[in-house]
């Protein structure tokens, strides 16, 4: 990473308590297909596991308190947590009240659109960039329309309606 960021060796969870076991079928956990197992083991999984790493659990709110200045400056959070977006976001209740832009991934295989469902239920404004222009996402049908390939992940942007981020993104649409 050319010293651009510090690797924490932690896993985002809702309550930020305990340990998390990460099972991987690759020798390295970087860019690997991994299964996160919280407080339990999957029977028979270890026969396919090449690497297990046990890390501390942490919530987004805990990270923001520990790792950012105490100001209420705008904050950008990029989530790509392999299907654990909703628990991670539930652990960000304080952070989500700030001027924050959440960049989260919806996988093409996820037909339920769990992360977008949760974010839209929280009354966030959601946006998507298709490589050409920005679109405002108003409902789950819009999410499904943007996800044209099942084998890739799609980045969506979410922010509070009155946030300066929302105003900037809306200007990019018009």
């Amino acid at each position: 990473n050319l010293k651009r960021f510090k690797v924490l060796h932690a896993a985002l969870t809702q309550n930020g308590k305990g340990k998390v076991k990460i099972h991987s079928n690759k020798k390295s956990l970087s860019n690997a297909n991994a299964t996160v197992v919280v407080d339990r083991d999957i029977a028979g999984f270890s026969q396919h596991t090449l690497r297990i790493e046990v890390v501390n659990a942490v919530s987004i709110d805990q990270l923001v308190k520990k790792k950012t200045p105490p100001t209420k400056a705008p904050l950008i959070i990029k989530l790509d947590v392999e299907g654990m977006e909703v628990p991670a976001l539930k652990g960000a209740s304080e952070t989500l009240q700030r001027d924050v832009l959440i960049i989260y991934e919806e996988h093409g295989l996820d037909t339920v659109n769990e992360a977008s469902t949760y974010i839209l239920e929280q009354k966030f404004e959601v946006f998507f960039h298709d490589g050409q222009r920005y679109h405002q996402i108003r409902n789950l049908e819009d999410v499904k329309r943007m996800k044209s390939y099942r084998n890739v992940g799609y980045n969506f942007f979410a922010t509070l309606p009155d946030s300066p981020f929302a105003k900037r993104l809306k200007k990019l649409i018009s």
Side-chain angles (χ1 to χ4, degrees):
N1 72 36
L2 304 174
K3 298 185 180 181
R4 292 177 293 169
F5 57 88
K6 181 181 176 185
V7 177
L8 297 178
H9 294 283
L12 287 176
T13 64
Q14 181 174 341
N15 64 13
K17 296 178 182 173
K19 302 278 185 187
V20 175
K21 241 185 224 186
I22 302 173
H23 295 252
S24 174
N25 59 0
K26 307 272 181 164
K27 290 182 181 178
S28 167
L29 285 179
S30 66
N31 208 14
N33 292 328
T35 301
V36 177
V37 183
V38 182
D39 295 331
R40 62 183 174 84
D41 288 315
I42 297 176
F45 190 85
S46 61
Q47 66 187 356
H48 302 291
T49 300
L50 293 176
R51 179 163 180 190
I52 297 173
E53 186 167 345
V54 178
V55 297
N56 290 323
V58 64
S59 72
I60 291 174
D61 282 343
Q62 290 169 338
L63 273 178
V64 168
K65 283 179 189 168
K66 282 169 68 173
K67 301 292 182 181
T68 64
T71 67
K72 293 295 182 183
L75 185 62
I76 298 173
I77 297 175
K78 169 65 170 106
L79 283 180
D80 184 357
V81 289
E82 303 305 325
M84 300 299 289
E85 286 80 7
V86 173
L89 288 166
K90 286 182 177 179
S93 57
E94 293 174 32
T95 303
L96 295 180
Q97 302 307 309
R98 292 177 56 166
D99 182 13
V100 62
L101 178 69
I102 305 287
I103 305 168
Y104 68 96
E105 183 177 278
E106 278 278 2
H107 200 280
L109 288 172
D110 179 5
T111 58
V112 178
N113 304 303
E114 187 178 7
S116 291
T117 298
Y118 179 78
I119 288 170
L120 289 166
E121 286 172 352
Q122 304 307 306
K123 306 296 184 214
F124 273 72
E125 300 268 352
V126 179
F127 302 87
F128 178 75
H129 191 270
D130 65 7
Q132 302 291 321
R133 63 186 188 95
Y134 284 91
H135 303 267
Q136 187 161 7
I137 304 299
R138 302 198 185 279
N139 52 49
L140 291 177
E141 289 306 314
D142 290 347
V143 173
K144 291 174 186 175
R145 214 174 3 265
M146 297 299 139
K147 292 168 48 172
S148 52
Y149 299 102
R150 293 175 47 91
N151 62 332
V152 297
Y154 296 88
N155 286 318
F156 288 83
F157 306 86
T159 189
L160 290 171
D162 59 347
S163 163
F165 285 119
K167 292 173 185 155
R168 289 180 203 125
L169 286 164
K170 285 178 182 176
K171 282 183 181 178
L172 293 172
I173 292 171
S174 43

